[in-house]
Amino acid sequence: MNLLFLMTDQHRVDTLGCYGNPHVATPNLDRLAATGTRFDRFYTPTAICTPARASLLTGQAPFRHRLLANYERNVGYLEDLREDAFTFPSALKQRDYQLALIGKWHGGTSRNAASYGFDGPDLPGWHNPVDHPDYLAYLEERGLPPYRISDLVRGTTPNGNPGNLLAARLHQPVEATFEHYLATRAIEHMERYAADGRPFFLATHFFGPHLPYLVPDEYFDMYDPDLVELPPSIAETFEGKPPVQRNYSDHWTFDTIPIEVTRKLIAVYWGYVTLIDEQIGRILDRLDELGLSERTSVFFTADHGEFTGAHRLHDKGPAMYEDIYRIPGIIRVPGEQPQVRNEFVTLTDCTATILDLAGCDTGPAVDSRSLLPLVRGERPEWPGELLAEFHGHHFPYPQRMIRDDRYKLVVNPESVNELYDLHADPHELSNRYTHPELAPVRRRLMRRLYDLLRERGDNFFHWMTPMYDIGASDYDPTLSSFEKEGTSG
């Protein structure tokens, strides 16, 4: 079985037609979803690039693999996986797989993708490395113009300086964009691997639609800002929430940008999504042309989401909202029927699924579950809740989150905790952690989180002191959470 893994960076799930967006053109990903399994509740283990990508590589939760922050803003954590860490490419290599990773690596500093057995140009960093020799050679060979931008969009920071670059016009034709370059290199590897005949794992990791949104005029102006419905959470007041969220809003200069510019930013983000969809379409079309579709399983997902103005924020950060934790997840396995699944699954589960499809032992991917039973339409026993974690980026900021079908609890040891009723408040505007009527729900989720962290070996449970309803006098490990609480909330 060949494996084609398509991944974007900082991609909102609600920008895809197959997830309900009526305006954004994503025909190629919609086609993939219509012929495969679309997961409606697919989540990242942590909403930051390097730790999430390390979880995919290892099948381990971030607290376990310990690669906890992007190296550009590291705060004293490890910068590379431990030498003895299990990674799925090592298992595939033993099965004689050809391996390539085209695009964003962002998985460490001293070891690159080639260190784990992947072919492809070495493309480190958090955004398109437009000065990379291979990209420059690609442009020169085809007589294409170099990277150049104008019409930069920025806000103003609290100290009066220009804020981070959010978007700009890219003065290149689509054939010269980094996205087109990546798809071209992926197709070249696919053709070479097909001629060889051995099974292959080919990953294409796009750097977008991560901000700044740098796209040609065709995509910069593709969508009318008047089509944009602003996120309801733009009404965020931060009342009763961790102060870090308001501080991040100031850092990302939201309130210094006119609302019509925010609409334009979202419209440009949509254009970036369509640009990437078109490049994914080129890869999928070539897969068909080479006669490989019936022998190739295809994955599409992202490392995490993006705020684009939701909660008066941009980028991502220490706020565990659905905007950045829920991500797209599509898997097409030859011979399996198209469907939509509602189980809680994560990016980390892709690791065991890859191993399973390749005939490898899934055991070493200790925090990963193969999704093949779900893809096959089976109804296996499956957890009814989801865990996620965060460790900080610009500064240490430990967080853990548990959510079930209705409620989400976020534990912030450095600040106030959060509890959201996702049925009554789907946009997570009202923190109901201190509301008396939800005290049974709060206690149930806190104890369930405590149980699961202890079972996994995540020492974060030590933070959960009596002030969080989990003290030595309050916790009895001989009873299950539900037995002790006596309520399902």
Side-chain angles (χ1 to χ4, degrees):
M1 177 69 72
N2 301 316
L3 303 165
L4 176 63
F5 198 93
L6 305 166
M7 190 175 193
T8 51
D9 189 340
Q10 208 151 300
H11 197 157
R12 288 187 66 96
V13 69
D14 61 7
T15 59
L16 301 175
C18 58
Y19 281 96
N21 191 298
H23 305 300
V24 183
T26 55
N28 298 291
L29 289 170
D30 295 350
R31 168 167 54 107
L32 183 65
T35 55
T37 296
R38 176 171 67 81
F39 292 93
D40 198 47
R41 298 200 288 191
F42 200 99
Y43 285 77
T44 183
T46 185
I48 186 168
C49 301
T50 296
R53 291 166 186 271
S55 287
L56 171 64
L57 194 63
T58 62
Q60 296 180 2
F63 83 88
R64 198 183 309 278
H65 64 61
R66 296 175 59 199
L67 196 56
L68 301 178
N70 294 355
Y71 71 84
E72 294 91 349
R73 296 287 186 274
N74 205 323
V75 288
Y77 298 131
L78 295 180
E79 291 193 356
D80 284 281
L81 291 173
R82 299 184 303 277
E83 291 284 348
D84 61 349
F86 168 81
T87 63
F88 77 80
S90 63
L92 266 57
K93 201 74 172 177
Q94 293 176 8
R95 304 282 295 186
D96 201 30
Y97 267 73
Q98 304 172 91
L99 304 172
L101 192 155
I102 311 300
K104 181 171 181 175
W105 167 239
H106 218 192
T109 55
S110 65
R111 283 184 283 165
N112 58 13
S115 304
Y116 297 93
F118 291 113
D119 298 333
D122 180 20
L123 299 171
W126 66 274
H127 199 55
N128 288 338
V130 293
D131 57 350
H132 192 277
D134 191 63
Y135 173 61
L136 296 177
Y138 166 86
L139 296 179
E140 185 176 359
E141 290 165 4
R142 292 160 176 79
L144 295 168
Y147 164 90
R148 183 172 67 87
I149 60 174
S150 69
D151 300 355
L152 280 62
V153 179
R154 300 178 187 271
T156 304
T157 63
N159 64 9
N161 290 332
N164 291 293
L165 179 62
L166 300 175
R169 291 184 184 273
L170 177 63
H171 294 280
Q172 289 177 301
V174 64
E175 294 80 11
T177 62
F178 211 83
E179 291 71 31
H180 196 282
Y181 153 74
L182 291 177
T184 299
R185 289 289 187 254
I187 289 168
E188 291 169 351
H189 276 76
M190 186 190 301
E191 292 169 342
R192 187 157 62 249
Y193 290 167
D196 180 282
R198 288 180 294 145
F200 63 79
F201 173 91
L202 172 60
T204 307
H205 290 189
F206 292 94
F207 287 75
H210 193 297
L211 57 76
Y213 320 136
L214 309 178
V215 292
D217 288 348
E218 175 185 351
Y219 301 92
F220 197 91
D221 298 319
M222 179 172 282
Y223 296 104
D224 185 345
D226 288 342
L227 290 173
V228 173
E229 295 182 11
L230 293 172
S233 63
I234 211 163
E236 180 66 78
T237 65
F238 304 111
E239 181 180 354
K241 296 189 177 186
V244 69
Q245 295 184 23
R246 186 187 298 275
N247 294 339
Y248 253 65
S249 180
D250 292 342
H251 171 75
W252 283 105
T253 69
F254 180 87
D255 289 327
T256 71
I257 299 172
I259 202 67
E260 60 268 21
V261 175
T262 294
R263 288 186 188 275
K264 179 62 178 178
L265 280 170
I266 295 173
V268 174
Y269 181 76
W270 287 1
Y272 202 173
V273 169
T274 294
L275 170 61
I276 292 173
D277 179 84
E278 291 174 359
Q279 304 316 306
I280 287 174
R282 293 177 58 218
I283 298 170
L284 294 175
D285 287 348
R286 191 60 182 139
L287 186 75
D288 291 341
E289 292 163 0
L290 292 168
L292 296 171
S293 297
E294 296 305 313
R295 294 181 284 131
T296 305
S297 292
V298 182
F299 294 68
F300 170 72
T301 188
D303 58 354
H304 54 78
E306 150 75 68
F307 279 119
T308 60
H311 293 277
R312 310 178 80 81
L313 294 162
H314 291 286
D315 199 55
K316 65 275 185 186
M320 305 188 84
Y321 294 121
E322 296 288 286
D323 306 270
I324 60 173
Y325 276 83
R326 181 175 171 238
I327 55 177
I330 303 168
I331 301 176
R332 186 180 73 191
V333 175
E336 303 303 338
Q337 296 301 305
Q339 60 177 327
V340 177
R341 300 298 300 231
N342 290 310
E343 289 85 355
F344 287 116
V345 298
T346 75
L347 176 66
T348 314
D349 293 328
C350 289
T351 316
T353 311
I354 290 166
L355 294 168
D356 202 358
L357 285 164
C360 302
D361 179 13
T362 64
V366 294
D367 297 309
S368 179
R369 296 180 297 266
S370 175
L371 300 175
L372 279 188
L374 304 183
V375 171
R376 291 172 179 146
E378 299 170 13
R379 298 289 171 182
E381 186 175 332
W382 204 264
E385 66 275 306
L386 171 91
L387 297 186
E389 60 190 270
F390 186 72
H391 298 265
H393 181 39
H394 299 87
F395 45 84
Y397 195 86
Q399 294 179 293
R400 295 295 186 274
M401 179 256 279
I402 183 171
R403 71 147 295 183
D404 60 18
D405 185 63
R406 179 168 182 173
Y407 297 101
K408 175 189 289 186
L409 171 72
V410 181
V411 178
N412 302 297
E414 307 282 347
S415 188
V416 298
N417 295 330
E418 300 163 82
L419 178 65
Y420 300 102
D421 180 343
L422 298 175
H423 287 187
D425 176 28
H427 305 293
E428 302 172 279
L429 285 168
S430 176
N431 179 12
R432 304 184 67 185
Y433 185 80
T434 61
H435 289 209
E437 72 274 16
L438 287 184
V441 174
R442 184 186 71 232
R443 288 194 295 267
R444 172 177 63 82
L445 287 175
M446 189 69 75
R447 287 172 179 155
R448 181 61 176 156
L449 177 61
Y450 186 91
D451 290 343
L452 291 171
L453 295 180
R454 280 175 60 105
E455 290 171 10
R456 297 174 74 174
D458 182 349
N459 286 332
F460 184 88
F461 73 85
H462 289 307
W463 286 97
M464 299 167 67
T465 63
M467 66 184 295
Y468 299 139
D469 301 327
I470 301 291
S473 63
D474 193 39
Y475 180 77
D476 182 351
T478 66
L479 299 177
S480 73
S481 298
F482 292 100
E483 287 173 330
K484 183 162 172 54
E485 186 55 43
T487 178
S488 63

